[in-house]
Amino acid sequence: LAAVLLWCAAAALLPLGGTAGSSAYAAYHSSLVDTDRAAAKLGVLSNSLVEGGHFFFGAGEAHELRGELPAGDARGAEPTPAAVSYAPNAQEIDFAALAEAAGKKELRGLCEYLAARRPSSKNGSTGLFEGCDLILICGESYSGLALNEALTPTLCRMASEGVVLEHYYNSFKNTTTNGEYAFLTGLWPDVSRDAMRGSAAGSMPRNAKKYYPLNPGRIFADQAGALCLGYHNYLGSYYSRDKSLPNLGFDCSFMNAGMRFTSSWPASDLEMMEQSVDDYIDAERFCVYYMTFSGHGPYNSDNVIYRKNIEETRACLGEHGLTPGAEGYLACNLELEKAVAYLLQRLEEAGRLERTVIVLTGDHYPYYLTAADRASLAGRELDESFDMYESSCIIWKGGMETPLVSDAYCCNVDILPTLLNLFGFDFDSRLLPGTDILSDSRHTAFLYNRSFLTDELRYDSADGSALWSWEGSRLPEEEREALLESLQTQAEDRYAMSLQIANTDFYRFLWERTPALQGPGD
């Protein structure tokens, strides 16, 4: 009885410590908070009890979207003026009429929130890739740590050419479908304490029947008439990819369903590439998606890809001084290097290289690596809050003589709006939580737990601390406080926006009621 009374008293007193997104109150009540943050605020035992209530009863306060400030997406922070005036990436959508037609409170809130968002503008890179084909590769555990001049020269060359993102962060620490979902839909996946509720865990399988008109598979088919194919070198039933990927417009092949492999866990990326390229290489226009597998841990002799490539890796690296785990990670990613090198060779032989864009990024950071392994590959210690999320996103096109370099801070959800603008597709940037990396908008790299990085600061949601850069520290204190508050609001709102879009099937509601947009497919 005493324990129950103390628990209730402690819960009732939580508001005294504040109710902001980083508070213990939010960790106790919010339906958006992730397990890591909640456990840090409440303790593992207390959080386990709270999450039990969420799992069985769906407890938690619904997040009310607060709306973004129009001035550069931050108080007092205007975007850099462009030398040329560009039109916004927006479409004719009557959000006021949609709000009136919405029967659900969440739908009305979304309409009002999206109407108030400031769209990103077209820019000097708009349409740079117009008419090109697209190959998307979600690399299992791929990160910038996999780039090694001696062992992965193809990937290193591609990372330094095309569109070079100097401050790209992979927002996710684990679970492949989180990175896949953000990569393909441009939305944040559900990583909250509610993510495991229901029969299907994770946003990809849970939303396999929802309508996603802005993903590459559908938009290439609808606006370019392209052949859209998807491949994964494991079973299609795993994470229900045989349902979720076709729902995104990709005609798919999986292990034992269109492809066969000499090993099963993990299977070879090179073998997947060898069995797939002929399916689309002669198509008039194509958009292809690959989810790789060879980079999966563990990075030791228990892994068949490690055993296949370790001797070649050692011979290539020579006396390297890497930890065994770091060496094994490179050996497994050598298979991805071979797959991409084969792909480029086939594209060049077919005369398609200079009209094909290849985008490669990881699903999450390589969590099988220890801190010592990561430090060995990076050549320095990496902190757990930010450094370990810094990664690589390759956006490469054959024939680009001069790299297009961006120093904007960006993350997974920014890739899709950037590609839609580069390909010159007609889309409304307000409908996606990410930002075109090459636009003049304010840029922020958000992480799964709503920590974030900008030119001015690094904010750690775990302890609510903000580390200001030299430029940020020169801002007046009031501006710093306003900027921090605005970015914290954006982190919460854009995440909640993504979950509400999926939960309410908002895109279907919007497309069916907006004449300027194409209606949903079957």
Side-chain angles (χ1 to χ4, degrees):
L1 178 61
V4 171
L5 290 174
L6 285 171
W7 173 281
C8 294
L13 293 173
L14 284 177
L16 297 179
T19 59
S22 60
S23 66
Y25 176 89
Y28 187 94
H29 289 281
S30 174
S31 60
L32 300 182
V33 71
D34 59 276
T35 298
D36 295 336
R37 279 198 299 167
K41 295 291 182 183
L42 304 175
V44 173
L45 177 59
S46 296
N47 187 56
S48 297
L49 294 172
V50 174
E51 293 205 358
H54 277 253
F55 185 84
F56 290 107
F57 305 111
E61 296 179 355
H63 181 87
E64 185 174 344
L65 297 169
R66 288 156 285 185
E68 296 185 5
L69 297 160
D73 287 346
R75 290 180 176 87
E78 293 284 355
T80 304
V84 180
S85 178
Y86 291 99
N89 267 317
Q91 295 170 299
E92 294 182 10
I93 301 176
D94 190 343
F95 285 111
L98 288 166
E100 289 185 8
K104 296 181 180 178
K105 181 181 177 181
E106 265 192 335
L107 285 174
R108 290 197 303 273
L110 271 173
C111 291
E112 293 165 358
Y113 170 75
L114 295 172
R117 291 195 72 197
R118 178 179 179 271
S120 61
S121 295
K122 299 181 191 307
N123 49 69
S125 301
T126 301
L128 181 65
F129 296 158
E130 188 170 359
C132 291
D133 301 311
L134 175 62
I135 297 176
L136 299 159
I137 304 175
C138 189
E140 169 62 49
S141 299
Y142 170 80
S143 81
L145 299 176
L147 299 176
N148 182 284
E149 290 286 353
L151 195 68
T152 58
T154 304
L155 296 178
C156 285
R157 176 172 64 86
M158 295 172 72
S160 63
E161 298 175 352
V163 179
V164 179
L165 306 180
E166 294 186 332
H167 297 300
Y168 174 77
Y169 286 77
N170 190 326
S171 304
F172 307 106
K173 63 187 305 181
N174 53 29
T175 309
T176 293
T177 57
N178 286 336
E180 269 193 290
Y181 184 80
F183 189 30
L184 292 175
T185 69
L187 298 173
W188 287 103
D190 188 353
V191 295
S192 73
R193 55 174 38 134
D194 289 337
M196 300 301 291
R197 292 185 67 224
S199 58
S203 291
M204 279 281 281
R206 185 190 298 172
N207 298 308
K209 294 183 179 180
K210 305 293 176 62
Y211 183 53
Y212 293 97
L214 296 177
N215 87 84
R218 292 220 176 264
I219 208 163
F220 261 81
D222 292 344
Q223 295 194 29
L227 173 67
C228 298
L229 303 177
Y231 300 92
H232 175 46
N233 42 343
Y234 194 56
L235 302 175
S237 58
Y238 201 75
Y239 286 130
S240 299
R241 288 189 179 93
D242 53 356
K243 298 179 178 65
S244 59
L245 291 180
N247 182 57
L248 297 179
F250 296 102
D251 187 4
C252 295
S253 297
F254 303 101
M255 177 183 287
N256 301 334
M259 295 185 293
R260 295 195 174 276
F261 298 90
T262 56
S263 62
S264 60
W265 189 277
S268 165
D269 296 342
L270 175 59
E271 291 178 11
M272 175 170 63
M273 204 65 72
E274 290 173 336
Q275 295 180 76
S276 60
V277 173
D278 285 331
D279 294 346
Y280 58 83
I281 195 71
D282 295 322
E284 184 175 346
R285 189 88 186 269
F286 61 76
C287 173
V288 175
Y289 172 65
Y290 288 101
M291 178 66 233
T292 74
F293 194 11
S294 295
H296 204 290
Y299 306 118
N300 55 37
S301 58
D302 293 335
N303 186 318
V304 65
I305 302 298
Y306 170 97
R307 297 196 300 270
K308 175 184 177 183
N309 290 333
I310 189 60
E311 294 305 322
E312 183 179 352
T313 299
R314 289 170 176 166
C316 185
L317 296 179
E319 295 295 328
H320 50 66
L322 297 172
T323 63
E327 179 188 66
Y329 177 68
L330 292 178
C332 291
N333 277 280
L334 176 56
E335 198 71 6
L336 177 62
E337 161 75 14
K338 293 176 180 178
V340 174
Y342 173 83
L343 173 62
L344 296 186
Q345 175 190 336
R346 291 296 310 276
L347 290 170
E348 185 170 24
E349 291 171 351
R352 305 289 292 256
L353 191 63
E354 294 195 359
R355 55 167 284 189
T356 301
V357 176
I358 298 175
V359 181
L360 167 62
T361 192
D363 50 354
H364 48 66
Y365 74 65
Y367 58 82
Y368 269 90
L369 293 178
T370 66
D373 295 333
R374 293 192 294 269
S376 176
L377 289 164
R380 61 185 177 89
E381 296 294 327
L382 303 179
D383 70 60
E384 297 288 318
S385 298
F386 298 106
D387 291 347
M388 64 195 304
Y389 294 94
E390 191 167 8
S391 193
S392 165
C393 177
I394 293 172
I395 303 177
W396 183 91
K397 176 184 174 295
M400 278 187 68
E401 296 181 359
T402 304
L404 184 57
V405 181
S406 171
D407 63 356
Y409 281 83
C410 55
C411 61
N412 308 62
V413 295
D414 299 321
I415 298 172
L416 181 57
T418 304
L419 291 177
L420 295 180
N421 181 69
L422 282 167
F423 277 88
F425 286 123
D426 187 25
F427 76 106
D428 195 315
S429 58
R430 294 173 294 178
L431 301 177
L432 294 168
T435 304
D436 174 10
I437 300 165
L438 303 173
S439 71
D440 65 352
S441 303
R442 170 172 287 282
H443 297 286
T444 307
F446 292 104
L447 304 184
Y448 80 99
N449 59 1
R450 264 78 84 207
S451 295
F452 52 79
L453 306 91
T454 73
D455 288 328
E456 297 93 349
L457 80 157
R458 292 183 170 198
Y459 171 73
D460 189 344
S461 66
D463 57 13
S465 63
L467 177 63
W468 294 89
S469 67
W470 182 82
E471 294 87 352
S473 64
R474 291 171 60 85
L475 295 172
E477 184 175 354
E478 287 186 2
E479 288 190 29
R480 289 204 306 271
E481 291 177 358
L483 176 60
L484 177 58
E485 180 187 350
S486 176
L487 291 172
Q488 288 172 323
T489 299
Q490 284 183 37
E492 295 290 340
D493 279 0
R494 295 187 184 190
Y495 177 69
M497 159 195 166
S498 297
L499 268 58
Q500 290 180 21
I501 284 175
N503 292 340
T504 63
D505 205 359
F506 177 76
Y507 288 146
R508 188 182 302 276
F509 166 80
L510 173 62
W511 254 249
E512 288 178 341
R513 291 163 176 79
T514 306
L517 306 175
Q518 291 186 341
D522 294 338

